[in-house]
């Protein structure tokens, strides 16, 4: 969202409105008022990641505007789960270890798929819900990994998908080695680049390699299903064998 907002034809809400999950009873007028004012030809956008895993969201969005375009950023579900845990840990240092939360039964290696950090990464399961309301042609899947290694390449796809001129290009990015994330700069502006907030690029806690191995095995069939459903191979398995 930060990157696409650099495009002059996009207006976006800075905070997550959570309309289609938490604030739906406030009504469409409330949602409209949260949105930025746009001119003819501009695109209005918002980002609320939890919509993807909210059962009612696809139906609600579809009943508001069935031609809405949807963008989903996905990353390796194992890394995603650890990242999710890291974020919670920074707010609640007293929570149990990742290993404790990840298993129903550690001895048997039974993964606890009801724990949200793990459930969210079963992308095929959530996507099924969306495909009941939206055709695949209205959904763009962006690779979270490539968004870091080749932000301009991924942003070219986003702009094409939204029917925008490719204005956000490599000139807009520079890589921040400390954070491990690209930062955004305005090509015509000499001011300091904007980097993502402090919740991004946190150091992940050390996780037992056996736990990571079991998680990979758990996600693999779901990943394969997701690749088949989207017609895109995100290469999360290759990534593992490279390490």
């Amino acid at each position: 969202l930060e990157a696409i907002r650099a495009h002059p034809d996009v207006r976006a809400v800075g905070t997550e409105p959570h309309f289609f999950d938490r604030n739906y009873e406030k009504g469409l007028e409330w949602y409209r008022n949260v949105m930025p004012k746009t001119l003819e030809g501009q695109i209005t956008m918002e980002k609320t990641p939890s919509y993807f895993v909210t059962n009612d969201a696809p139906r609600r969005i579809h009943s508001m505007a069935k031609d809405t375009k949807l963008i989903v950023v996905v990353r390796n579900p194992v890394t995603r789960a650890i990242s999710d845990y890291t974020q919670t840990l920074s707010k609640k240092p007293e929570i149990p270890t990742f290993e404790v939360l990840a298993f129903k039964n550690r001895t048997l290696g039974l993964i606890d798929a009801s724990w949200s950090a793990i459930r969210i990464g079963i992308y095929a399961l959530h996507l099924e819900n969306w495909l009941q309301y939206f055709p695949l042609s209205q959904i763009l899947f962006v690779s979270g990994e490539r968004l870091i290694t080749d932000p301009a390449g991924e942003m070219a796809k986003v702009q094409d998908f939204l029917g925008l001129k490719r204005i956000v290009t490599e000139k807009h990015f520079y890589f921040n080695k400390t954070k491990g994330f690209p930062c955004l700069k305005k090509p015509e502006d000499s001011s300091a680049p904007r980097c993502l907030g402090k919740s991004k690029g946190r150091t992940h806690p050390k996780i037992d390699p056996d736990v990571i191995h079991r998680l990979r095995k758990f996600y693999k069939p779901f990943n394969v299903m997701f690749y088949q459903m989207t017609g895109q191979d995100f290469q999360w398995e290759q990534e593992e064998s490279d390490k």
Side-chain angles (χ1 to χ4, degrees):
L1 188 81
E2 283 300 325
I4 198 65
R5 281 172 81 177
H7 198 294
D9 293 335
V10 172
R11 297 296 312 277
V13 190
T15 51
E16 297 173 4
H18 283 281
F19 176 62
F20 296 103
D21 53 4
R22 296 180 207 159
N23 295 310
Y24 197 63
E25 64 298 331
K26 292 183 177 168
L28 209 52
E29 217 30 60
W30 177 87
Y31 187 50
R32 194 183 281 276
N33 289 328
V34 169
M35 288 301 176
K37 305 261 185 293
T38 41
L39 300 167
E40 191 63 52
Q42 282 184 320
I43 288 175
T44 313
M45 277 182 89
E46 68 118 310
K47 170 194 79 120
T48 306
S50 52
Y51 292 163
F52 186 59
V53 298
T54 302
N55 282 337
D56 293 329
R59 179 180 53 77
R60 289 170 171 176
I61 294 170
H62 186 266
S63 71
M64 176 193 71
K66 57 182 186 298
D67 53 356
T68 299
K69 287 190 173 181
L70 308 158
I71 299 175
V72 190
V73 181
V74 286
R75 64 190 293 200
N76 186 322
V78 178
T79 336
R80 206 219 68 80
I82 298 168
S83 171
D84 192 315
Y85 173 78
T86 309
Q87 203 123 355
T88 312
L89 188 64
S90 70
K91 298 185 194 107
K92 305 179 189 160
E94 71 286 352
I95 60 167
T97 64
F98 182 85
E99 286 81 349
V100 168
L101 294 167
F103 288 103
K104 262 200 189 103
N105 183 319
R106 180 78 197 261
T107 331
L108 297 175
L110 288 180
I111 298 284
D112 187 355
S114 67
W115 180 32
S116 69
I118 284 172
R119 199 179 60 85
I120 292 171
I122 309 174
Y123 303 135
L125 185 76
H126 310 300
L127 179 56
E128 212 160 10
N129 194 15
W130 287 89
L131 292 178
Q132 288 175 28
Y133 293 90
F134 293 95
L136 211 46
S137 58
Q138 269 168 250
I139 312 174
L140 177 71
F141 297 93
V142 173
S143 157
E145 286 81 15
R146 284 198 299 269
L147 203 49
I148 293 171
T149 56
D150 176 23
E154 285 301 289
M155 291 315 296
K157 291 179 201 165
V158 171
Q159 291 168 96
D160 292 351
F161 172 71
L162 295 175
L164 296 167
K165 255 168 61 188
R166 288 189 182 183
I167 289 175
V168 180
T169 60
E170 50 279 345
K171 293 198 292 287
H172 284 78
F173 299 99
Y174 101 99
F175 197 74
N176 179 327
K177 287 198 176 60
T178 3
K179 269 193 159 325
F181 278 97
C183 295
L184 210 61
K185 59 183 173 126
K186 290 205 169 94
E188 69 287 351
D189 195 344
S190 58
S191 62
R194 287 196 50 192
C195 295
L196 296 172
K198 56 178 177 296
S199 67
K200 297 282 181 280
R202 281 206 183 100
T203 311
H204 288 178
K206 203 86 191 96
I207 310 288
D208 180 340
D210 175 59
V211 174
I212 290 180
H213 175 69
R214 287 187 184 277
L215 265 182
R216 284 173 187 162
K217 273 178 74 167
F218 168 79
Y219 279 122
K220 192 173 180 176
F222 297 114
N223 289 347
V224 170
M225 205 185 301
F226 183 62
Y227 298 166
Q228 285 167 344
M229 289 166 87
T230 58
Q232 263 173 276
D233 181 349
F234 290 90
Q235 304 188 325
W236 292 320
E237 282 66 35
Q238 270 93 309
E239 224 183 275
E240 254 103 66
S241 55
D242 293 347
K243 283 178 184 162

